[in-house]
């Protein structure tokens, strides 16, 4: 199978390149393929003739999406619509990465794939519209909704991930203030990429929730980061009012992977194990220097 990965140098894209390494995937960064420019998509499809296109590209700075909804819809909806149309025309399947922000956060138990989306932010609405646009063109599509990603490669648009920001504050000795009123499923991109690989190998199209198992508040996540990294700083609990924001974010967006379970695919490790593996790999990539110096 020929696989093309759009957004190859992003957080998740980098780990997808590794997860599909045996297929020698065609990795596309924005200089080679910009999904907003249909001619670059056409060039990739005709030159490489992929059987599957994996799209991680998004405009996903939630605050920036509120300021520039036109950009959010251009990248997350219109460009995805065009990508799906061209995939359909060339006979390629599409795997598209979606978000927990398609939900309104009023639930008290994790959202499974049958839960009705009701996004509240420009980001969430544009991403959900992207999912719907795919359906317009393709039955051969996977939509993989994930949440709270942290990966070794970092995100070019959002800067250091949450784990890195907490560790940096620890090193600088600044007061660490984290919200207690937002709950989600933190997810290690390497685990998400490995799960995506098992989904593709099973070859059943549809919507999947793919996160590390379990959920926590951002405050609980920060406490666990410090515990695993051996830091003894205190994490001051605050509520979201402490960080005024333009976007309405879901207060509870934990996801549950019913499709994975129904297909008998392996469940992802717990988020605490995702964090442990992330910190271990982080140390290894820095030549064995532990998170705390
Ligand atoms: N990060 C999270 O916590 C999170 C949570 C839930 C869902 N998601 C979804 O997961 C996906 C991957 O997230 P991530 O954290 O891995 O993002 P990321 O690190 O920012 O990577 C996204 C990649 O897409 C590329 N890209 C952006 N706009 C593009 C365009 N118009 N054409 C082609 N490539 C473009 C970026 O290239 P440049 O570096 O050149 O800009 C970047 O390499 C996104 O679809 C996002 O909506 C993320």
């Amino acid at each position: 199978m020929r696989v093309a990965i759009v957004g190859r140098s992003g957080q998740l894209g980098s780990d997808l390149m590794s997860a599909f390494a045996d297929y020698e995937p065609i990795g596309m960064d924005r200089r080679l393929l910009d999904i907003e420019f249909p001619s670059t998509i056409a060039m990739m499809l005709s030159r490489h003739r992929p059987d599957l296109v994996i799209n991680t590209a998004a405009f996903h700075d939630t605050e920036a999406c509120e300021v520039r909804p036109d950009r959010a819809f251009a990248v997350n909806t219109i460009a995805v619509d065009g990508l799906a149309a061209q995939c359909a025309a060339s006979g390629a399947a599409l795997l598209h990465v979606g978000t927990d922000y398609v939900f309104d956060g009023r639930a008290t138990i994790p959202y499974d794939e049958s839960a009705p989306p009701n996004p509240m932010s420009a980001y969430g609405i544009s991403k959900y519209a992207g999912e719907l646009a795919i359906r317009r063109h393709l039955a051969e599509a996977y939509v993989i909704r994930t949440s709270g990603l942290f990966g070794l490669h970092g995100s070019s648009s959002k800067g250091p991930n949450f784990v890195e920001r907490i560790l940096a504050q620890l090193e600088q000795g600044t007061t660490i203030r984290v919200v207690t009123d937002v709950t989600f499923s933190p997810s290690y991109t390497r685990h998400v990429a490995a799960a995506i690989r098992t989904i593709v190998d099973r070859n059943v199209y549809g919507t999947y929730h793919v996160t590390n198992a379990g959920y926590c508040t951002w405050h609980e996540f920060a406490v666990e980061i410090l515990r695993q990294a051996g830091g003894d700083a205190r994490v001051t609990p605050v509520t979201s009012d402490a960080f005024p924001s333009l976007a309405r974010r879901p207060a509870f967006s934990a996801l549950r992977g019913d499709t994975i379970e129904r297909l008998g695919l392996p469940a992802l490790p717990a988020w605490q194990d995702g964090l442990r593996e992330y910190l271990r790999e982080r140390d290894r990539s820095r030549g064995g220097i532990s998170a705390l110096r």
Side-chain angles (χ1 to χ4, degrees):
M1 179 166 67
R2 284 184 302 274
V3 178
I5 298 178
V6 180
R8 64 150 293 162
S9 38
Q11 270 197 117
L12 181 59
S14 304
D15 284 330
L16 284 167
M17 289 299 290
S18 305
F20 284 85
D22 54 329
Y23 283 128
E24 298 181 4
I26 306 135
M28 294 281 157
D29 63 22
R30 203 200 299 219
R31 284 167 308 165
L32 289 171
L33 188 162
D34 187 324
I35 57 169
E36 286 192 78
F37 291 90
S39 59
T40 64
I41 300 173
M43 205 183 303
M44 182 274 284
L45 289 172
S46 71
R47 182 174 299 168
H48 300 290
R49 306 226 151 270
D51 303 296
L52 173 68
V53 175
I54 297 181
N55 178 39
T56 72
F59 184 56
H60 64 105
D61 178 327
T62 310
E63 288 296 285
C65 286
E66 295 298 318
V67 179
R68 293 294 310 270
D70 54 327
R71 297 294 307 132
F73 283 94
V75 179
N76 299 335
T77 310
I78 305 296
V80 171
D81 182 78
L83 179 64
Q86 290 208 47
C87 285
S90 76
L94 177 63
L95 186 149
H96 178 70
V97 181
T99 174
D100 52 333
Y101 277 31
V102 299
F103 296 113
D104 61 20
R106 292 198 189 113
T108 49
I109 55 168
Y111 290 95
D112 67 25
E113 294 85 349
S114 67
N118 184 28
M120 300 185 304
S121 60
Y123 170 60
I125 295 169
S126 65
K127 288 287 283 187
Y128 184 48
E131 289 186 17
L132 297 176
I134 292 169
R135 287 196 210 154
R136 201 159 89 80
H137 303 287
L138 273 171
E140 296 81 18
Y142 309 89
V143 171
I144 308 288
R145 294 189 190 129
T146 189
S147 151
L149 294 179
F150 53 97
L152 288 173
H153 299 274
S155 163
S156 59
S157 60
K158 294 215 260 188
N161 66 45
F162 183 76
V163 183
E164 295 304 327
R165 294 208 304 274
I166 293 296
L167 292 176
Q169 288 179 60
L170 176 66
E171 248 184 49
Q172 291 152 10
T174 46
T175 308
I176 305 173
R177 295 157 72 232
V178 183
V179 299
T180 53
D181 56 354
V182 180
T183 297
F184 72 116
S185 299
S187 299
Y188 179 33
T189 49
R190 189 170 290 188
H191 289 166
V192 172
I196 288 176
R197 173 62 196 262
T198 65
I199 289 167
V200 168
D201 287 346
R202 178 55 76 88
N203 198 23
V204 177
Y205 299 117
T207 300
Y208 293 76
H209 288 180
V210 179
T211 65
N212 277 122
Y215 53 89
C216 59
T217 66
W218 285 99
H219 182 267
E220 289 164 339
F221 189 33
V223 169
E224 181 67 11
I225 292 166
L226 294 185
R227 194 188 70 75
Q228 290 197 19
D232 59 3
R234 182 168 178 270
V235 185
T236 306
V238 293
T239 56
S240 305
D241 314 345
F243 301 104
S245 149
L246 296 171
R248 290 171 67 208
R249 292 175 167 77
F252 181 96
S253 66
L255 301 182
R256 179 187 146 74
D258 266 9
T259 315
I260 284 180
E261 195 177 314
R262 201 161 23 82
L263 293 175
L265 297 173
L268 278 77
W271 63 265
Q272 294 92 334
D273 295 331
L275 174 62
R276 196 167 291 113
E277 198 171 320
Y278 172 85
L279 292 174
R280 203 169 33 230
E281 284 305 315
R282 178 185 188 273
D283 289 351
R284 200 171 294 154
S285 69
R286 293 171 178 216
I289 303 161
S290 86
L292 281 180
R293 272 170 280 174

